[in-house]
Amino acid sequence: MRRPGGYYKDDGPDGAPPVDLDAIPDAQPRPEPPNQHANDPYVVFGKEYLPEKEFSAHRKQGTASWYGRKFHGQRTWSGEIYDMYAMTAAHPTLPIPSYARVTNLQNGKSVVVRINDRGPFASGRMMDLSFAAAYKLGFADTGIAAVEVESIVLPAPLPLRAAAAESIPVSSGLAGVYLQLGAFSSQANAESFRDNIRKQLSWIEQPVRIEKRGKLFRLHLGPYAGRGEANAVAEKIRAELDFKPLVVNKQ
């Protein structure tokens, strides 16, 4: 998972960009079927998100940030590979995939992006943009900007027939004290979040397990010797990610 709403000063291109950033075209809106799993409800750090199931008008102002090479080549929430030089974005609830026009309210620059990822999850941040989109909007150096996000509504195509899901092993869960990092209604989203959290919190020693209970796939970090140790780790995560995981005691 990306640092929620965060910005890495060392997350830009490692050397000269391999493409002419000024020449990268905006995303070209076209009707696309909704992603099979990326629009399911989910919970991150105790907060429930309800993605929009239908394409509808959306126009809001807020703060945007960007993410770059630390996640370049990694899997996004949609299952696609993140390309920091593509005109894409992450949003907590807009449909995946969908398109939006983003305008930098400080300089008037505007771009069209394709939403294929979830985030950011920090209070006060509305959207995470690719490095290329942030560059074209003029805030790649500062990391954040006040923006207006307006969805581009297209005729919704018929949804694709659901394919048979590949079986993903999940933990049966061992007794002990754990930190719950999130809960998801699809296996694919849980695995994607687990992969990203491992990359973001490279210092964690305990494994991040996926446990299926009922219809939800929960991410549990641990086990820990007791609630004191778990709370200490939770505070460290809160300092980095702005959210404190839930401490759970599994019998």
Side-chain angles (χ1 to χ4, degrees), residues 200-213:
Q200 175 61 31
L201 302 177
S202 58
W203 50 265
I204 61 175
E205 298 178 356
Q206 284 75 15
V208 181
R209 294 183 171 91
I210 300 177
E211 179 179 347
K212 187 175 187 297
R213 286 190 177 183

Side-chain angles (χ1 to χ4, degrees), residues 133-144:
Y135 172 87
K136 296 191 71 174
L137 285 171
F139 72 93
D141 290 336
T142 60
I144 59 174

Side-chain angles (χ1 to χ4, degrees), residues 52-90:
E52 298 177 19
K53 295 289 188 179
E54 299 179 354
F55 300 91
S56 60
H58 172 100
R59 187 173 185 174
K60 291 185 179 180
Q61 294 183 356
T63 302
S65 50
W66 63 265
Y67 58 123
R69 65 181 169 86
K70 287 191 175 182
F71 299 93
H72 185 66
Q74 300 297 313
R75 186 170 58 173
T76 65
W77 205 274
S78 66
E80 300 169 355
I81 300 302
Y82 174 61
D83 181 355
M84 63 186 284
Y85 301 114
M87 297 297 287
T88 61

Side-chain angles (χ1 to χ4, degrees), residues 212-233:
K212 187 175 187 297
R213 286 190 177 183
K215 295 182 178 180
L216 292 178
F217 296 83
R218 306 174 189 271
L219 287 187
H220 287 163
L221 171 62
Y224 293 97
R227 295 185 69 87
E229 181 183 0
N231 272 314
V233 176

